[in-house]
Amino acid sequence: MLFLQKRMFPFSIPASSILFLLLLLTFQPVSSSQQPYKNENFHTSKKDHSQKMSSSLLFDITLHGFLLWASMGFLMPVGILVIRMSSREQCGRRLKFYFYIHTILQILSVLLVTAGAVMSIKKFNNAFNNSHQRIGIGLYGMIWLQALIGIVRPKRGSNTRSLWFFIHWMLGTAVSLLGVFNVYSGLFAYHEKTSRSIRIWTIIFTVEISLISFFYLFQDKLEYIQKQGVILGNDLVTPTDQVLSPNDKQKELNTDPC
């Protein structure tokens, strides 16, 4: 009998090894079953955190867009239209009225731009790897430079008034054009980041800019249109009126049928 046991089990297994194997088999299923649960909880909490961050970021992006739209896409162009209306006015109450309205609109625009700039610096990842961010940082500096130029406005009749007006006009025009372009690029950046439709906002902004552009061009022709019929005394002078010599008047009378 002892011979058979030695033939079947040529080696002996220590009792401590058997106990270790039993413990390992006992605890291994428990640890493997808990691991997916831990991973699932980790991914769930990470997903919830990303959803909260995305909703907060979405609100910040939307608010940033409306601030810059209101400032560079509306207040600045309207301020330009208002100051252009004063070019046909002489010194008086209406001239001061247009000037003060222009100043108020530009101050509000600068404040909104500043708020949008602070928000973009604090809230967003400013890698400056796209045209919207690059143009935006340039516009912030140009707008504040334009405000400073407006503050140091020389008096009418001074030697530097013409140079100041040219710089102020050129910089203001550049800011307005780049601002409109950057609003469009911001809408497309919003669409790429959120995958939301921007069709209605693009249409609204296009209609607004079209109306402002039409009124801008209409201002140049308004004085010409008004001069098409000018009342001098009791006579209405039109562009077809001509000063006729006595000979021409005689020829005109001879050609009358009656």
Side-chain angles (χ1 to χ4, degrees):
M1 194 69 179
L2 183 61
F3 175 76
L4 291 175
Q5 289 179 355
K6 291 181 178 180
R7 296 278 296 180
M8 295 179 64
F9 304 100
F11 57 91
S12 60
I13 301 175
S16 60
S17 300
I18 297 175
L19 181 61
F20 176 75
L21 289 174
L22 291 175
L23 291 175
L24 184 62
L25 292 174
T26 302
F27 288 102
Q28 181 66 24
V30 175
S31 61
S32 62
S33 62
Q34 289 178 348
Q35 187 67 25
Y37 179 73
K38 292 181 180 179
N39 291 335
E40 183 178 357
N41 288 339
F42 174 76
H43 290 299
T44 302
S45 62
K46 185 177 180 181
K47 183 178 180 180
D48 294 339
H49 179 70
S50 63
Q51 287 178 351
K52 291 180 181 179
M53 291 295 292
S54 64
S55 62
S56 176
L57 182 61
L58 179 62
F59 173 78
D60 293 336
I61 293 174
T62 305
L63 181 58
H64 171 80
F66 275 113
L67 288 175
L68 274 300
W69 182 332
S71 60
M72 291 186 289
F74 181 73
L75 291 177
M76 281 191 179
V78 172
I80 292 175
L81 295 180
V82 170
I83 201 63
R84 280 168 58 86
M85 293 174 63
S86 66
S87 62
R88 294 186 300 271
E89 300 291 337
Q90 301 297 326
C91 293
R93 291 183 178 180
R94 296 187 66 179
L95 182 61
K96 291 182 179 180
F97 173 77
Y98 289 135
F99 173 76
Y100 289 139
I101 293 297
H102 170 79
T103 304
I104 292 171
L105 291 176
Q106 301 309 310
I107 290 175
L108 290 176
S109 178
V110 171
L111 293 177
L112 292 180
V113 166
T114 304
V118 172
M119 176 177 290
S120 62
I121 293 172
K122 293 180 63 176
K123 300 284 187 177
F124 305 149
N125 181 19
N126 297 302
F128 300 105
N129 55 359
N130 56 66
S131 60
H132 178 73
Q133 292 181 343
R134 293 168 186 166
I135 295 176
I137 194 66
L139 279 172
Y140 296 152
M142 292 172 65
I143 288 170
W144 272 103
L145 178 61
Q146 177 75 338
L148 293 176
I149 292 175
I151 293 174
V152 298
R153 177 175 60 99
K155 294 182 179 180
R156 289 180 179 271
S158 61
N159 297 329
T160 58
R161 176 76 181 195
S162 299
L163 178 62
W164 172 89
F165 179 82
F166 177 76
I167 295 174
H168 191 64
W169 172 74
M170 285 292 295
L171 190 58
T173 303
V175 167
S176 296
L177 294 177
L178 288 175
V180 170
F181 174 80
N182 221 33
V183 171
Y184 276 113
S185 65
L187 288 173
F188 289 113
Y190 174 83
H191 173 68
E192 292 178 358
K193 195 170 188 66
T194 63
S195 299
R196 295 193 174 190
S197 176
I198 58 171
R199 180 182 179 85
I200 183 64
W201 299 113
T202 305
I203 293 174
I204 292 174
F205 186 66
T206 302
V207 171
E208 175 202 323
I209 296 301
S210 299
L211 292 175
I212 292 175
S213 301
F214 172 78
F215 193 73
Y216 181 89
L217 297 175
F218 181 75
Q219 284 181 318
D220 291 334
K221 296 299 181 181
L222 180 61
E223 186 176 0
Y224 177 77
I225 292 173
Q226 292 174 346
K227 288 181 179 180
Q228 296 305 299
V230 181
I231 297 177
L232 300 176
N234 295 327
D235 298 330
L236 181 63
V237 179
T238 62
T240 56
D241 292 337
Q242 297 178 357
V243 179
L244 301 178
S245 63
N247 295 332
D248 293 333
K249 288 181 179 179
Q250 186 65 31
K251 291 180 181 179
E252 186 177 1
L253 291 175
N254 295 333
T255 55
D256 288 337
C258 57

